[in-house]
Amino acid sequence: MPARLHRGFTLLELVLVLMLLALVLAAAAPSLGGWNRGQRLENTAERILSAARFARSEAISKAVPHRLEIDATAGIFRVTRLEAQTWVPAGGQFGRDVALSEGMGLELVRQDESGTPAIDFYPNGRISPATIEIWADWGEVVTLQSTAAAESLRMVRDRGGA
């Protein structure tokens, strides 16, 4: 009985498969770049929502009003608490200035037209209704909103270009 020959892949076959795989990945790379940009914007919105959740929970647990302050000009946000009629930085990671990622901006619109660039969180769980729009220089926009004092800040729509 003759011995069987075990065939494997030749070097040429392996090189051709790798070249084909590289071409497919090169064609898919531009669309993956857009996904990454969208994720950065989504992550920024989630950080702001986390700061709002932190401010609300601190206001309730410590029975002291807290505030999510927005500085649209500088592109930063922070959480402060009311102490002796003065707003001072709250503890934790949101008690200091948190900068937005490069190429992003934001705007706060208060529902009550007070003009204060902040959302207030009260010990009874209520908040001052507001809308925050976060945008990226490539055209995408994410909106965070609370339309009523008893409603938490949440992401309401996501629209955009690229």
Side-chain angles (χ1 to χ4, degrees):
M1 180 178 212
R4 282 197 215 176
L5 295 174
H6 294 286
R7 280 196 53 129
F9 295 107
T10 65
L11 182 59
L12 179 61
E13 290 170 328
L14 289 174
V15 168
L16 287 174
V17 169
L18 289 175
M19 285 177 44
L20 184 61
L21 186 61
L23 286 172
V24 169
L25 289 174
S31 63
L32 292 175
W35 173 82
N36 185 35
R37 289 189 318 188
Q39 277 304 113
R40 283 190 342 177
L41 182 61
E42 188 90 12
N43 289 344
T44 299
E46 286 296 332
R47 282 192 333 194
I48 294 171
L49 284 173
S50 293
R53 288 184 201 111
F54 171 77
R56 184 170 188 247
S57 68
E58 288 289 296
I60 293 168
S61 68
K62 295 189 168 136
V64 173
H66 278 62
R67 177 177 272 184
L68 174 61
E69 296 181 355
I70 305 286
D71 185 343
T73 307
I76 59 173
F77 61 93
R78 69 187 146 275
V79 175
T80 57
R81 72 177 184 277
L82 188 61
E83 190 175 286
Q85 306 300 338
T86 305
W87 292 98
V88 298
Q93 67 180 11
F94 297 114
R96 58 179 170 69
D97 291 350
V98 180
L100 299 178
S101 299
E102 188 174 332
M104 294 187 197
L106 76 166
E107 178 183 14
L108 172 73
V109 179
R110 291 277 303 259
Q111 296 292 331
D112 63 4
E113 303 290 330
S114 74
T116 303
I119 301 172
D120 296 325
F121 296 85
Y122 302 101
N124 63 3
R126 298 175 88 65
I127 73 171
S128 55
T131 300
I132 301 172
E133 285 201 345
I134 308 155
W135 67 86
D137 58 6
W138 57 85
E140 280 187 83
V141 177
V142 172
T143 302
L144 309 176
Q145 186 175 57
S146 171
T147 57
E151 182 181 285
S152 295
L153 193 65
R154 70 187 196 296
M155 200 174 310
V156 291
R157 72 178 183 264
D158 183 1
R159 68 181 195 277

